[in-house]
Amino acid sequence: MDVKASFLFCKAALQGRLKPGSRVVLISSGAAFSGGPPNSGGYAGAKRMQVFLAGHSQKESDRLGFDLRFMALSPARIMPGTGVGDRGIDGISAYMGISPADFLASMIDMQTPADVARAAITLATGQAQGSSFVVSGSGLAAAA
């Protein structure tokens, strides 16, 4: 999900297009917090902007009394077996001069796509406090 799509969706939500009590979950990336690898260009900054966007949208919803919940969910690690993940793994390992298998072997506490799906459902249906969350192999947690 790119920043423009996130912005446009949040903008529409804040124009009163969602029912009170609705939840908006933006899917970001752990690169928003780690900065990502040096070869990722503006990816990490774009993903951090989604985190800011969720927080600012929440404040605006509160100010307007819309009773909407805006949250950003960041998978902590790159995920093999996904289109974006596989391309990222190839690019990062090439940049580091190691094999994709060696790069993946260095990763700890990796989440799966199913972990991310469960976290998104929890945020969409639960009462989690805050606007920024990270999901790893250890589960869902508020972002620091």
Side-chain angles (χ1 to χ4, degrees), residues 25-104:
V25 180
L26 305 177
I27 305 297
S28 183
S29 168
F33 301 101
S34 71
N39 68 325
S40 67
Y43 180 79
K47 295 298 153 181
R48 185 65 179 189
M49 186 60 219
Q50 288 178 297
V51 174
F52 290 140
L53 183 59
H56 292 313
S57 295
Q58 185 61 58
K59 288 176 186 171
E60 186 65 1
S61 174
D62 293 346
R63 185 183 75 80
L64 296 169
F66 281 174
D67 189 28
L68 302 175
R69 287 274 292 131
F70 291 86
M71 297 164 277
L73 175 61
S74 302
R77 307 278 180 269
I78 198 164
M79 287 186 286
T82 64
V84 171
D86 289 341
R87 285 189 299 281
I89 290 164
D90 290 344
I92 295 166
S93 21
Y95 176 82
M96 294 174 68
I98 61 175
S99 72
D102 287 343
F103 172 70
L104 286 172

Side-chain angles (χ1 to χ4, degrees), residues 23 25 27 71 73-75 79 109-128 133-141:
R23 296 164 190 269
V25 180
I27 305 297
M71 297 164 277
L73 175 61
S74 302
M79 287 186 286
D109 202 20
M110 291 178 62
Q111 75 289 331
T112 66
D115 294 329
V116 176
R118 280 190 294 276
I121 290 168
T122 296
L123 293 179
T125 61
Q127 298 298 317
F133 300 86
V134 175
V135 60
S136 67
S138 298
L140 180 64

